[in-house]
PDB file of all heavy atoms in Angstrom:
ATOM      1  N   THR A 149     -18.057  63.676 -56.297  1.00 70.00           N
ATOM      2  CA  THR A 149     -19.278  63.903 -55.552  1.00 70.00           C
ATOM      3  C   THR A 149     -20.160  62.669 -55.486  1.00 70.00           C
ATOM      4  O   THR A 149     -21.150  62.658 -54.762  1.00 70.00           O
ATOM      5  CB  THR A 149     -20.075  65.049 -56.188  1.00 70.00           C
ATOM      6  OG1 THR A 149     -20.385  64.710 -57.529  1.00 70.00           O
ATOM      7  CG2 THR A 149     -19.297  66.343 -56.112  1.00 70.00           C
ATOM      8  N   SER A 154     -20.391  50.875 -51.096  1.00 78.00           N
ATOM      9  CA  SER A 154     -20.119  49.910 -50.023  1.00 78.00           C
ATOM     10  C   SER A 154     -19.095  50.494 -49.060  1.00 78.00           C
ATOM     11  O   SER A 154     -18.323  51.379 -49.405  1.00 78.00           O
ATOM     12  CB  SER A 154     -19.610  48.585 -50.605  1.00 78.00           C
ATOM     13  OG  SER A 154     -18.375  48.795 -51.259  1.00 78.00           O
ATOM     14  N   MET A 174      -6.359  41.074 -20.356  1.00 83.00           N
ATOM     15  CA  MET A 174      -6.434  41.888 -19.136  1.00 83.00           C
ATOM     16  C   MET A 174      -7.325  41.237 -18.078  1.00 83.00           C
ATOM     17  O   MET A 174      -7.015  41.291 -16.886  1.00 83.00           O
ATOM     18  CB  MET A 174      -6.931  43.308 -19.454  1.00 83.00           C
ATOM     19  CG  MET A 174      -5.966  44.109 -20.295  1.00 83.00           C
ATOM     20  SD  MET A 174      -4.310  44.193 -19.596  1.00 83.00           S
ATOM     21  CE  MET A 174      -4.616  45.214 -18.181  1.00 83.00           C
ATOM     22  N   VAL A 179      -7.660  38.227 -12.756  1.00 64.00           N
ATOM     23  CA  VAL A 179      -8.374  37.237 -11.949  1.00 64.00           C
ATOM     24  C   VAL A 179      -7.346  36.431 -11.155  1.00 64.00           C
ATOM     25  O   VAL A 179      -6.401  35.888 -11.702  1.00 64.00           O
ATOM     26  CB  VAL A 179      -9.202  36.289 -12.846  1.00 64.00           C
ATOM     27  CG1 VAL A 179      -9.794  35.158 -12.032  1.00 64.00           C
ATOM     28  CG2 VAL A 179     -10.283  37.059 -13.559  1.00 64.00           C
ATOM     29  N   ASN A 185      -5.818  25.216   0.695  1.00 75.00           N
ATOM     30  CA  ASN A 185      -4.859  24.729   1.683  1.00 75.00           C
ATOM     31  C   ASN A 185      -4.516  23.286   1.340  1.00 75.00           C
ATOM     32  O   ASN A 185      -5.313  22.380   1.577  1.00 75.00           O
ATOM     33  CB  ASN A 185      -5.437  24.826   3.097  1.00 75.00           C
ATOM     34  CG  ASN A 185      -5.647  26.256   3.516  1.00 75.00           C
ATOM     35  OD1 ASN A 185      -4.914  27.132   3.078  1.00 75.00           O
ATOM     36  ND2 ASN A 185      -6.642  26.494   4.353  1.00 75.00           N
ATOM     37  N   SER A 190       4.735  14.587   4.464  1.00 74.00           N
ATOM     38  CA  SER A 190       5.435  14.196   5.677  1.00 74.00           C
ATOM     39  C   SER A 190       6.792  13.603   5.313  1.00 74.00           C
ATOM     40  O   SER A 190       6.913  12.847   4.349  1.00 74.00           O
ATOM     41  CB  SER A 190       4.615  13.165   6.447  1.00 74.00           C
ATOM     42  OG  SER A 190       5.345  12.686   7.543  1.00 74.00           O
ATOM     43  N   ILE A 202       4.391 -14.447  -0.908  1.00 88.00           N
ATOM     44  CA  ILE A 202       4.730 -14.621  -2.326  1.00 88.00           C
ATOM     45  C   ILE A 202       4.273 -16.009  -2.754  1.00 88.00           C
ATOM     46  O   ILE A 202       4.690 -17.022  -2.184  1.00 88.00           O
ATOM     47  CB  ILE A 202       6.241 -14.452  -2.552  1.00 88.00           C
ATOM     48  CG1 ILE A 202       6.652 -13.044  -2.150  1.00 88.00           C
ATOM     49  CG2 ILE A 202       6.594 -14.726  -4.000  1.00 88.00           C
ATOM     50  CD1 ILE A 202       8.134 -12.798  -2.185  1.00 88.00           C
ATOM     51  N   ILE A 205       3.969 -19.921  -9.109  1.00 90.00           N
ATOM     52  CA  ILE A 205       3.460 -21.048  -9.869  1.00 90.00           C
ATOM     53  C   ILE A 205       4.582 -21.493 -10.792  1.00 90.00           C
ATOM     54  O   ILE A 205       5.014 -20.744 -11.668  1.00 90.00           O
ATOM     55  CB  ILE A 205       2.186 -20.693 -10.660  1.00 90.00           C
ATOM     56  CG1 ILE A 205       1.047 -20.297  -9.693  1.00 90.00           C
ATOM     57  CG2 ILE A 205       1.720 -21.875 -11.476  1.00 90.00           C
ATOM     58  CD1 ILE A 205       0.873 -18.862  -9.540  1.00 90.00           C
ATOM     59  N   VAL A 216       7.942 -22.521  -0.122  1.00 89.00           N
ATOM     60  CA  VAL A 216       7.592 -23.859   0.369  1.00 89.00           C
ATOM     61  C   VAL A 216       6.527 -24.439  -0.549  1.00 89.00           C
ATOM     62  O   VAL A 216       5.479 -23.830  -0.756  1.00 89.00           O
ATOM     63  CB  VAL A 216       7.061 -23.779   1.826  1.00 89.00           C
ATOM     64  CG1 VAL A 216       6.653 -25.150   2.319  1.00 89.00           C
ATOM     65  CG2 VAL A 216       8.096 -23.143   2.731  1.00 89.00           C
ATOM     66  N   ASN A 219      -0.058 -27.477  -1.823  1.00 89.00           N
ATOM     67  CA  ASN A 219      -1.155 -27.707  -2.758  1.00 89.00           C
ATOM     68  C   ASN A 219      -2.177 -26.591  -2.570  1.00 89.00           C
ATOM     69  O   ASN A 219      -2.021 -25.732  -1.698  1.00 89.00           O
ATOM     70  CB  ASN A 219      -1.756 -29.111  -2.577  1.00 89.00           C
ATOM     71  CG  ASN A 219      -2.322 -29.332  -1.190  1.00 89.00           C
ATOM     72  OD1 ASN A 219      -2.755 -28.387  -0.521  1.00 89.00           O
ATOM     73  ND2 ASN A 219      -2.304 -30.578  -0.736  1.00 89.00           N
ATOM     74  N   GLY A 221      -5.188 -26.571  -1.308  1.00 88.00           N
ATOM     75  CA  GLY A 221      -5.826 -26.572   0.008  1.00 88.00           C
ATOM     76  C   GLY A 221      -4.928 -25.956   1.078  1.00 88.00           C
ATOM     77  O   GLY A 221      -5.380 -25.175   1.918  1.00 88.00           O
ATOM     78  N   ALA A 235      -5.206  -8.352   8.769  1.00 82.00           N
ATOM     79  CA  ALA A 235      -6.210  -8.228   7.709  1.00 82.00           C
ATOM     80  C   ALA A 235      -5.694  -7.452   6.502  1.00 82.00           C
ATOM     81  O   ALA A 235      -6.254  -7.554   5.418  1.00 82.00           O
ATOM     82  CB  ALA A 235      -7.466  -7.560   8.255  1.00 82.00           C
ATOM     83  N   VAL A 252      -2.591 -19.892 -12.633  1.00 87.00           N
ATOM     84  CA  VAL A 252      -2.481 -18.516 -12.145  1.00 87.00           C
ATOM     85  C   VAL A 252      -3.881 -17.975 -11.845  1.00 87.00           C
ATOM     86  O   VAL A 252      -4.111 -17.343 -10.812  1.00 87.00           O
ATOM     87  CB  VAL A 252      -1.747 -17.635 -13.170  1.00 87.00           C
ATOM     88  CG1 VAL A 252      -1.697 -16.192 -12.706  1.00 87.00           C
ATOM     89  CG2 VAL A 252      -0.341 -18.160 -13.416  1.00 87.00           C
ATOM     90  N   ILE A 256      -5.540 -16.513  -8.357  1.00 89.00           N
ATOM     91  CA  ILE A 256      -6.217 -15.218  -8.306  1.00 89.00           C
ATOM     92  C   ILE A 256      -7.630 -15.384  -7.763  1.00 89.00           C
ATOM     93  O   ILE A 256      -8.086 -14.615  -6.911  1.00 89.00           O
ATOM     94  CB  ILE A 256      -6.223 -14.552  -9.693  1.00 89.00           C
ATOM     95  CG1 ILE A 256      -4.803 -14.163 -10.088  1.00 89.00           C
ATOM     96  CG2 ILE A 256      -7.139 -13.334  -9.720  1.00 89.00           C
ATOM     97  CD1 ILE A 256      -4.668 -13.678 -11.516  1.00 89.00           C
ATOM     98  N   ASN A 260      -9.276 -13.734  -4.408  1.00 89.00           N
ATOM     99  CA  ASN A 260     -10.548 -12.998  -4.426  1.00 89.00           C
ATOM    100  C   ASN A 260     -11.552 -13.612  -3.455  1.00 89.00           C
ATOM    101  O   ASN A 260     -12.297 -12.896  -2.792  1.00 89.00           O
ATOM    102  CB  ASN A 260     -11.126 -12.981  -5.839  1.00 89.00           C
ATOM    103  CG  ASN A 260     -10.421 -12.002  -6.744  1.00 89.00           C
ATOM    104  OD1 ASN A 260      -9.844 -11.018  -6.286  1.00 89.00           O
ATOM    105  ND2 ASN A 260     -10.439 -12.273  -8.034  1.00 89.00           N
ATOM    106  N   LEU A 268       0.225  -8.901  -9.314  1.00 86.00           N
ATOM    107  CA  LEU A 268       0.959  -9.824 -10.174  1.00 86.00           C
ATOM    108  C   LEU A 268       2.393  -9.329 -10.323  1.00 86.00           C
ATOM    109  O   LEU A 268       2.623  -8.158 -10.601  1.00 86.00           O
ATOM    110  CB  LEU A 268       0.289  -9.924 -11.546  1.00 86.00           C
ATOM    111  CG  LEU A 268      -1.114 -10.532 -11.553  1.00 86.00           C
ATOM    112  CD1 LEU A 268      -1.714 -10.450 -12.935  1.00 86.00           C
ATOM    113  CD2 LEU A 268      -1.079 -11.976 -11.079  1.00 86.00           C
TER     114      LEU A 268
END
Side-chain angles (χ1 to χ4, degrees):
T149 59
S154 64
M174 294 306 291
V179 173
N185 294 330
S190 174
I202 298 174
I205 297 99
V216 178
N219 60 28
V252 177
I256 292 172
N260 284 334
L268 295 174

